[in-house]
Amino acid sequence: MTDRLVLVINSGSSSLKFQLVDPDSGASRATGTVEQIGEPSSEVADHDAALRRAFDMLADDGIDLKDCGLVAVGHRVVHGGKRFHRPTLLDDEVIAELQELSPLAPLHNPPALQGIEVARKLLPDVPHIAVFDTAFFHHLPPAAAIYAIDRELAETWDIRRYGFHGTSHEYVSGQAAAFVGRPLDEVNQIVLHLGNGASASAVVGGRPVETSMGLTPLEGLVMGTRSGDIDAGVYSYLFRTAKMGVEEIESMLNKRSGVLGLAGERDFRRLREMIQSGDAAAKLAYDVFIHRLRKYIGAYLAVLGHTDVISFTAGIGEHDVAVRRDALAGLGELGIELDDERNATGSGERRISRDDSPITVLVVPTNEELAIARDCVSLL
Ligand code: ADP
């Protein structure tokens, strides 16, 4: 059989990530990022220029997209709203509906739509498919999905907890069940996706029952630049008293908060160096991050009642030994016994709990591009 390949595009406001994936073998053929889109000093003026640059990078790798077995282009779309919860073939009608969803995800969906528009123009002969970050959480139980606010208002404006990073939570929970050698539908698990964006989920038999992100990806854990959970009263207080506008507040909470807001640095490798050199703000930021994470782990253990597996994934979850240790330290009474040696060594998918730990703790590298590519071919 000749190879079939899927080009996966993750188009953000200032960066465009791409990966050419073989959905059958799972191999990545090429990958790259075009950064600083639209920034004043940048040569990449817009998403059109960014995608052309991505194609040039692929050509430099000897890949001709017109003649490499490309069967689909998969687009990561952050918000699918109420309507989209399956991989969806992008046509003019679907794109128009996605545009209507932009108010729900003003920071995320518009750049994805720009990426879709130029990709369809440049590669008109292959199907383009949207895969939604919210999809996995579409069937969250009502008790977990509903905010306790005026019901009619919530219904009128589609306000509920949607959840994000769904592609990663679904992929990692599948991998984790396979790793422990049990059918997915028998495993109760917690997935901790800790990257620049961070989210937790509780999954029963392959179906999510809780997740930390809400209407937008702002809710939940402390993140690189987002506050995570915050009293909604802060919004009105800043609006009324500090005379900040809605956009200013939104931008502050999403782009200048979290670890960056507390320590002036969002990258956990740098944050670690700062802590080691005695930076008190960096230490406090780390402590706030860990405290929130532990609070969520405790909450999800209670939501699940019985937990079989906890998995760490994404940049911090896969690589930061201290975060994993501090997140789970002293939880022996709750059934969690980390093995310090295992936690500090090894790479790739692995067990980091002791063999006698009632709850198995794993590191499971996420692979959202592969999951998106597989979603795409499942639709073809
Ligand atoms: P995203 O995909 O959300 O942009 P990633 O999953 O790539 O983010 O995670 C980025 C985070 O992971 C950064 O804070 C980075 O410092 C952290 N990270 C990556 N590698 C390591 C490492 N070896 N040790 C500690 N943290 C790491």
Side-chain angles (χ1 to χ4, degrees):
M1 192 176 100
T2 52
D3 286 355
R4 39 177 204 171
L5 295 174
V6 176
L7 177 65
V8 177
I9 295 177
N10 182 351
S11 172
S13 59
S14 68
S15 75
L16 185 144
K17 294 184 195 164
F18 62 93
Q19 193 171 137
L20 195 60
V21 185
D22 179 335
D24 302 304
S25 71
S28 164
R29 280 299 183 75
T31 180
T33 306
V34 182
E35 282 172 328
Q36 297 184 312
I37 302 170
E39 287 176 16
S41 60
S42 168
E43 287 164 29
V44 189
D46 53 22
H47 285 77
D48 189 279
L51 200 61
R52 288 178 196 275
R53 170 70 62 89
F55 291 179
D56 289 343
M57 289 161 78
L58 288 167
D60 291 343
D61 276 349
I63 294 165
D64 175 4
L65 284 176
K66 300 248 151 59
D67 184 30
C68 68
L70 186 72
V71 294
V73 181
H75 296 268
R76 177 187 180 210
V77 179
V78 168
H79 216 308
K82 269 200 317 198
R83 154 104 161 71
F84 296 105
H85 54 96
R86 289 206 181 81
T88 303
L89 190 65
L90 287 156
D91 55 25
D92 292 342
E93 201 178 311
V94 168
I95 288 173
E97 282 188 69
L98 283 176
Q99 266 150 357
E100 285 172 24
L101 285 179
S102 286
L104 271 175
L107 304 177
H108 297 97
N109 274 20
L113 282 162
Q114 283 173 316
I116 289 167
E117 194 186 325
V118 294
R120 283 179 85 213
K121 202 173 64 194
L122 296 180
L123 293 169
D125 300 326
V126 285
H128 288 251
I129 294 163
V131 176
F132 299 94
D133 242 34
T134 47
F136 181 54
F137 298 114
H138 182 74
H139 294 291
L140 219 50
I146 302 296
Y147 288 112
I149 61 171
D150 182 294
R151 203 174 71 186
E152 263 178 50
L153 192 70
E155 278 168 11
T156 304
W157 295 100
D158 294 337
I159 297 170
R160 55 159 272 180
R161 306 187 61 252
Y162 287 91
F164 299 86
H165 290 146
T167 307
S168 178
H169 287 275
E170 183 172 20
Y171 176 82
V172 169
S173 49
Q175 293 291 112
F179 186 92
V180 296
R182 292 182 50 192
L184 181 59
D185 60 10
E186 287 176 10
V187 184
N188 281 12
Q189 45 183 325
I190 296 174
V191 177
L192 304 168
H193 176 113
L194 311 176
N196 277 319
S199 60
S201 69
V203 181
V204 172
R207 288 190 160 249
V209 295
E210 243 305 351
T211 194
S212 58
M213 286 176 166
L215 175 77
T216 77
L218 182 59
E219 194 179 337
L221 301 175
V222 175
M223 313 184 206
T225 67
R226 296 184 208 132
S227 63
D229 290 339
I230 187 164
D231 183 342
V234 171
Y235 255 101
S236 34
Y237 181 72
L238 288 173
F239 180 77
R240 200 180 299 118
T241 312
K243 309 286 180 220
M244 286 170 72
V246 172
E247 251 116 59
E248 224 182 329
I249 300 170
E250 180 174 61
S251 161
M252 187 277 290
L253 291 173
N254 281 281
K255 298 180 176 164
R256 289 185 283 118
S257 295
V259 173
L260 176 76
L262 292 173
E265 171 62 53
R266 72 168 197 182
D267 189 294
F268 265 62
R269 283 163 293 198
R270 272 287 301 140
L271 193 74
R272 180 74 48 206
E273 291 167 11
M274 290 162 70
I275 294 170
Q276 275 155 2
S277 68
D279 187 314
K283 176 71 169 70
L284 180 63
Y286 181 75
D287 290 347
V288 174
F289 174 89
I290 292 291
H291 178 80
R292 182 83 50 84
L293 183 56
R294 288 174 65 89
K295 222 162 87 168
Y296 267 87
I297 292 166
Y300 287 12
L301 290 170
V303 166
L304 289 174
H306 171 87
T307 304
D308 300 295
V309 184
I310 298 177
S311 300
F312 285 90
T313 194
I316 298 164
E318 290 167 31
H319 300 292
D320 198 314
V321 173
V323 164
R324 295 194 300 260
R325 181 196 64 212
D326 296 338
L328 300 179
L331 298 186
E333 266 186 44
L334 298 177
I336 300 168
E337 300 281 5
L338 218 58
D339 181 311
D340 290 334
E341 169 84 29
R342 286 179 181 169
N343 184 39
T345 53
S347 66
E349 208 168 276
R350 63 196 185 278
R351 181 189 312 262
I352 57 169
S353 50
R354 293 196 332 224
D355 288 339
D356 63 353
S357 177
I359 296 176
T360 301
V361 185
L362 304 177
V363 173
V364 178
T366 192
N367 192 340
E368 289 164 285
E369 289 77 13
L370 175 59
I372 290 173
R374 287 189 173 150
D375 273 355
C376 287
V377 293
S378 76
L379 189 72
L380 294 178

CSV table of all heavy atoms in Angstrom, one decimal, residues 291-318:
chain,number,residue,atom,x,y,z
A,291,HIS,N,-0.3,24.2,44.1
A,291,HIS,CA,-1.4,24.2,45.0
A,291,HIS,C,-2.7,23.9,44.2
A,291,HIS,O,-3.6,23.1,44.6
A,291,HIS,CB,-1.5,25.5,45.8
A,291,HIS,CG,-2.7,25.5,46.7
A,291,HIS,ND1,-2.7,24.9,47.9
A,291,HIS,CD2,-3.9,26.1,46.6
A,291,HIS,CE1,-3.9,25.1,48.5
A,291,HIS,NE2,-4.6,25.8,47.7
A,292,ARG,N,-2.9,24.7,43.1
A,292,ARG,CA,-4.1,24.5,42.3
A,292,ARG,C,-4.2,23.1,41.7
A,292,ARG,O,-5.3,22.5,41.7
A,292,ARG,CB,-4.1,25.6,41.2
A,292,ARG,CG,-5.4,25.6,40.3
A,292,ARG,CD,-6.5,26.4,40.8
A,292,ARG,NE,-6.2,27.7,41.3
A,292,ARG,CZ,-6.1,28.8,40.5
A,292,ARG,NH1,-6.4,28.7,39.2
A,292,ARG,NH2,-5.8,29.9,41.0
A,293,LEU,N,-3.1,22.6,41.2
A,293,LEU,CA,-3.0,21.3,40.6
A,293,LEU,C,-3.4,20.2,41.7
A,293,LEU,O,-4.3,19.4,41.4
A,293,LEU,CB,-1.6,21.1,40.1
A,293,LEU,CG,-1.3,19.8,39.3
A,293,LEU,CD1,-2.3,19.6,38.2
A,293,LEU,CD2,0.1,19.7,38.9
A,294,ARG,N,-2.9,20.3,42.9
A,294,ARG,CA,-3.2,19.4,43.9
A,294,ARG,C,-4.7,19.4,44.3
A,294,ARG,O,-5.4,18.4,44.5
A,294,ARG,CB,-2.4,19.6,45.1
A,294,ARG,CG,-0.9,19.2,45.0
A,294,ARG,CD,-0.1,19.6,46.1
A,294,ARG,NE,-0.4,18.9,47.4
A,294,ARG,CZ,0.1,17.7,47.7
A,294,ARG,NH1,1.0,17.1,47.0
A,294,ARG,NH2,-0.3,17.1,48.9
A,295,LYS,N,-5.2,20.7,44.3
A,295,LYS,CA,-6.7,20.9,44.6
A,295,LYS,C,-7.5,20.1,43.6
A,295,LYS,O,-8.5,19.4,43.9
A,295,LYS,CB,-7.0,22.4,44.5
A,295,LYS,CG,-7.9,22.9,45.6
A,295,LYS,CD,-7.8,24.4,45.7
A,295,LYS,CE,-8.7,25.1,44.8
A,295,LYS,NZ,-8.8,26.5,45.1
A,296,TYR,N,-7.1,20.2,42.3
A,296,TYR,CA,-7.9,19.5,41.3
A,296,TYR,C,-7.8,18.0,41.3
A,296,TYR,O,-8.7,17.3,41.1
A,296,TYR,CB,-7.5,20.0,39.9
A,296,TYR,CG,-8.4,21.2,39.4
A,296,TYR,CD1,-8.1,22.5,39.8
A,296,TYR,CD2,-9.5,20.9,38.7
A,296,TYR,CE1,-8.9,23.5,39.4
A,296,TYR,CE2,-10.4,21.9,38.3
A,296,TYR,CZ,-10.1,23.2,38.7
A,296,TYR,OH,-10.9,24.2,38.3
A,297,ILE,N,-6.5,17.6,41.7
A,297,ILE,CA,-6.3,16.1,41.8
A,297,ILE,C,-7.3,15.6,42.9
A,297,ILE,O,-8.0,14.6,42.7
A,297,ILE,CB,-4.9,15.8,42.0
A,297,ILE,CG1,-4.0,16.1,40.8
A,297,ILE,CG2,-4.7,14.3,42.4
A,297,ILE,CD1,-2.5,16.2,41.0
A,298,GLY,N,-7.3,16.3,44.0
A,298,GLY,CA,-8.1,15.8,45.1
A,298,GLY,C,-9.6,15.8,44.7
A,298,GLY,O,-10.3,14.9,45.0
A,299,ALA,N,-10.0,16.9,44.0
A,299,ALA,CA,-11.4,17.0,43.6
A,299,ALA,C,-11.8,15.8,42.7
A,299,ALA,O,-12.8,15.2,42.8
A,299,ALA,CB,-11.6,18.3,42.9
A,300,TYR,N,-10.9,15.5,41.8
A,300,TYR,CA,-11.2,14.5,40.8
A,300,TYR,C,-11.2,13.1,41.4
A,300,TYR,O,-11.9,12.2,41.0
A,300,TYR,CB,-10.3,14.6,39.6
A,300,TYR,CG,-10.6,15.8,38.7
A,300,TYR,CD1,-11.5,16.8,39.1
A,300,TYR,CD2,-10.1,15.9,37.4
A,300,TYR,CE1,-11.8,17.8,38.4
A,300,TYR,CE2,-10.4,17.0,36.6
A,300,TYR,CZ,-11.2,18.0,37.1
A,300,TYR,OH,-11.6,19.0,36.3
A,301,LEU,N,-10.3,12.9,42.4
A,301,LEU,CA,-10.3,11.6,43.1
A,301,LEU,C,-11.7,11.4,43.8
A,301,LEU,O,-12.3,10.3,43.8
A,301,LEU,CB,-9.2,11.5,44.2
A,301,LEU,CG,-7.8,11.4,43.7
A,301,LEU,CD1,-6.8,11.6,44.9
A,301,LEU,CD2,-7.5,10.1,43.0
A,302,ALA,N,-12.3,12.5,44.3
A,302,ALA,CA,-13.6,12.4,44.9
A,302,ALA,C,-14.7,12.3,43.9
A,302,ALA,O,-15.6,11.5,44.1
A,302,ALA,CB,-13.8,13.7,45.7
A,303,VAL,N,-14.6,12.9,42.7
A,303,VAL,CA,-15.5,12.8,41.6
A,303,VAL,C,-15.6,11.3,41.2
A,303,VAL,O,-16.6,10.7,40.9
A,303,VAL,CB,-15.2,13.7,40.4
A,303,VAL,CG1,-16.0,13.3,39.2
A,303,VAL,CG2,-15.5,15.2,40.8
A,304,LEU,N,-14.4,10.7,41.1
A,304,LEU,CA,-14.3,9.4,40.5
A,304,LEU,C,-14.7,8.3,41.6
A,304,LEU,O,-15.1,7.2,41.3
A,304,LEU,CB,-12.9,9.1,40.0
A,304,LEU,CG,-12.5,9.8,38.7
A,304,LEU,CD1,-11.0,9.5,38.4
A,304,LEU,CD2,-13.4,9.3,37.5
A,305,GLY,N,-14.4,8.6,42.9
A,305,GLY,CA,-14.6,7.6,43.9
A,305,GLY,C,-13.6,6.6,43.9
A,305,GLY,O,-12.9,6.3,44.9
A,306,HIS,N,-13.4,5.9,42.8
A,306,HIS,CA,-12.3,4.9,42.7
A,306,HIS,C,-11.5,5.4,41.5
A,306,HIS,O,-12.0,5.6,40.4
A,306,HIS,CB,-12.8,3.5,42.5
A,306,HIS,CG,-11.8,2.5,42.1
A,306,HIS,ND1,-11.0,1.9,43.0
A,306,HIS,CD2,-11.3,2.2,40.9
A,306,HIS,CE1,-10.1,1.1,42.4
A,306,HIS,NE2,-10.3,1.3,41.1
A,307,THR,N,-10.2,5.4,41.6
A,307,THR,CA,-9.3,5.8,40.5
A,307,THR,C,-8.2,4.8,40.3
A,307,THR,O,-7.6,4.3,41.2
A,307,THR,CB,-8.6,7.2,40.9
A,307,THR,OG1,-9.5,8.2,41.2
A,307,THR,CG2,-7.7,7.7,39.7
A,308,ASP,N,-8.1,4.4,39.0
A,308,ASP,CA,-7.1,3.4,38.7
A,308,ASP,C,-5.7,4.0,38.2
A,308,ASP,O,-4.7,3.5,38.6
A,308,ASP,CB,-7.6,2.5,37.5
A,308,ASP,CG,-8.8,1.8,37.9
A,308,ASP,OD1,-8.8,0.9,38.8
A,308,ASP,OD2,-9.9,2.1,37.3
A,309,VAL,N,-5.8,5.1,37.4
A,309,VAL,CA,-4.6,5.6,36.8
A,309,VAL,C,-4.7,7.1,36.8
A,309,VAL,O,-5.7,7.8,36.6
A,309,VAL,CB,-4.5,5.2,35.3
A,309,VAL,CG1,-3.3,5.6,34.6
A,309,VAL,CG2,-4.7,3.6,35.2
A,310,ILE,N,-3.5,7.7,37.0
A,310,ILE,CA,-3.3,9.2,36.8
A,310,ILE,C,-2.2,9.3,35.8
A,310,ILE,O,-1.1,8.7,36.0
A,310,ILE,CB,-2.9,9.9,38.1
A,310,ILE,CG1,-4.0,9.8,39.2
A,310,ILE,CG2,-2.6,11.4,37.9
A,310,ILE,CD1,-3.7,10.4,40.5
A,311,SER,N,-2.4,10.1,34.7
A,311,SER,CA,-1.4,10.3,33.7
A,311,SER,C,-1.0,11.8,33.6
A,311,SER,O,-1.8,12.6,33.6
A,311,SER,CB,-1.9,9.8,32.3
A,311,SER,OG,-2.2,8.5,32.4
A,312,PHE,N,0.3,12.0,33.5
A,312,PHE,CA,0.9,13.3,33.2
A,312,PHE,C,1.2,13.4,31.7
A,312,PHE,O,1.9,12.5,31.2
A,312,PHE,CB,2.1,13.5,34.0
A,312,PHE,CG,1.9,13.8,35.5
A,312,PHE,CD1,1.9,12.7,36.4
A,312,PHE,CD2,1.7,15.1,35.9
A,312,PHE,CE1,1.7,13.0,37.7
A,312,PHE,CE2,1.5,15.3,37.3
A,312,PHE,CZ,1.5,14.3,38.2
A,313,THR,N,0.9,14.5,31.1
A,313,THR,CA,1.2,14.7,29.7
A,313,THR,C,1.5,16.2,29.4
A,313,THR,O,1.4,17.0,30.2
A,313,THR,CB,0.1,14.1,28.8
A,313,THR,OG1,0.7,14.0,27.4
A,313,THR,CG2,-1.1,15.0,28.7
A,314,ALA,N,2.0,16.4,28.1
A,314,ALA,CA,2.3,17.7,27.6
A,314,ALA,C,3.7,18.2,28.2
A,314,ALA,O,4.2,17.5,29.1
A,314,ALA,CB,1.2,18.8,27.8
A,315,GLY,N,4.2,19.3,27.7
A,315,GLY,CA,5.6,19.7,28.0
A,315,GLY,C,6.0,19.6,29.4
A,315,GLY,O,7.0,19.0,29.7
A,316,ILE,N,5.2,20.2,30.3
A,316,ILE,CA,5.6,20.1,31.7
A,316,ILE,C,5.3,18.7,32.3
A,316,ILE,O,6.1,18.2,33.0
A,316,ILE,CB,4.8,21.2,32.5
A,316,ILE,CG1,5.2,22.6,32.0
A,316,ILE,CG2,5.1,21.1,34.0
A,316,ILE,CD1,4.2,23.7,32.4
A,317,GLY,N,4.2,18.2,32.0
A,317,GLY,CA,3.8,16.9,32.5
A,317,GLY,C,4.7,15.8,32.1
A,317,GLY,O,5.0,14.9,32.9
A,318,GLU,N,5.3,15.9,30.9
A,318,GLU,CA,6.1,14.8,30.4
A,318,GLU,C,7.6,15.0,30.9
A,318,GLU,O,8.3,14.0,31.0
A,318,GLU,CB,6.1,14.8,28.8
A,318,GLU,CG,4.8,14.4,28.3
A,318,GLU,CD,4.7,14.7,26.8
A,318,GLU,OE1,5.7,14.7,26.1
A,318,GLU,OE2,3.6,14.9,26.3
